[in-house]
Amino acid sequence: VCFKLLPEARAAELFEELDQLLARGLVAGAPSGYLLAQDTSRAIILQGLAEEQLRDLHRALGRALLESNPEVFERVLLDRADNLSTEQLGNALQAGWHLARGGEHRLGRKLLRNAGIALTLRGDGLIEAVPALDAALGIYRQQRRSRFEQLALLAPLTLAGTYFDWRLSYQYGDETLDIALELTGLNLARKLERFLPGKLAL
């Protein structure tokens, strides 16, 4: 991904720069690559960027992630993610969020929705996906996406609360249930019960 973001850089130069960042404690090594050592560094970097620059960088990063493993992302886009690992689905969430934040809303939303649903169905790996799901939900709401579209992100967030952090269920559970009842028609069935027998109302 780093090479795709900096195509003009030679390998030796890129790794030398990364080694310098490691030596100064600005980034830390991680199983998936490198992470900023402190969130305050991220805030300082972002302060110096105009909104247009930030949007372009998000789009470039989303595209670099897509190109890093096109077969995986193609399967997510086609809703055939059953055999993908939790890490691969997490990468799809990250790519989707960056693309949506970078202005490629349709592609970003599709990745977020399909990967979010796949993670919900399998359960494991949800806690690692929570930041991307939460940020994606913020984008959906900012764009005034329908409640039914938001459900694909609300459901895994609520499920993560059941498994890992009850505060997530407290934050999103009622809204998730309300949308699910509306989507399945159970809310309508409850209203019809006043006039029809229960099974007939259902």
Side-chain angles (χ1 to χ4, degrees):
V1 172
C2 288
F3 280 120
K4 289 184 182 302
L5 290 169
L6 299 168
E8 72 284 352
R10 294 199 301 269
E13 292 174 337
L14 181 58
F15 285 115
E16 183 181 344
E17 296 293 339
L18 287 170
D19 285 342
Q20 289 186 30
L21 292 171
L22 282 166
R24 289 175 168 82
L26 292 170
V27 299
S32 59
Y34 299 91
L35 296 171
L36 283 175
Q38 298 180 9
D39 282 338
T40 51
S41 301
R42 185 189 311 275
I44 292 170
I45 293 168
L46 293 178
Q47 280 179 0
L49 295 174
E51 180 59 32
E52 186 175 348
Q53 288 177 297
L54 189 57
R55 186 172 58 250
D56 290 345
L57 288 170
H58 276 295
R59 183 168 56 251
L61 182 51
R63 281 288 167 187
L65 288 168
L66 282 182
E67 293 167 12
S68 68
N69 205 334
E71 297 83 7
V72 167
F73 291 107
E74 185 67 22
R75 288 178 63 185
V76 175
L77 288 169
L78 293 173
D79 206 8
R80 297 175 184 166
D82 295 347
N83 296 323
L84 295 179
S85 70
T86 299
E87 182 182 357
Q88 288 171 323
L89 289 172
N91 288 338
L93 282 173
Q94 292 290 343
W97 182 77
H98 285 295
L99 288 168
R101 183 67 179 80
E104 296 197 35
H105 304 302
R106 186 176 180 183
L107 179 58
R109 284 198 306 270
K110 194 166 186 180
L111 283 169
L112 289 166
R113 183 193 65 223
N114 292 357
I117 290 172
L119 281 168
T120 304
L121 294 174
R122 91 174 40 182
D124 69 322
L126 274 176
I127 194 63
E128 292 84 1
V130 164
L133 287 166
D134 196 43
L137 182 61
I139 289 177
Y140 268 43
R141 287 178 166 163
Q142 187 179 28
Q143 295 174 355
R144 302 184 185 280
R145 308 307 303 177
S146 74
R147 297 174 76 218
F148 301 126
E149 288 180 277
Q150 292 181 35
L151 184 62
L153 303 174
L154 285 164
L157 284 167
T158 303
L159 189 61
T162 303
Y163 288 134
F164 307 108
D165 188 343
W166 63 268
R167 291 172 295 184
L168 291 167
S169 292
Y170 183 77
Q171 184 175 357
Y172 298 115
D174 287 344
E175 185 178 3
T176 303
L177 181 60
D178 184 53
I179 297 173
L181 289 172
E182 185 179 348
L183 183 63
T184 57
L186 287 173
N187 274 343
L188 178 59
R190 282 178 174 174
K191 294 175 182 176
L192 291 174
E193 264 188 324
R194 289 178 289 178
F195 311 103
L196 300 169
K199 287 186 180 179
L200 187 56
L202 187 60

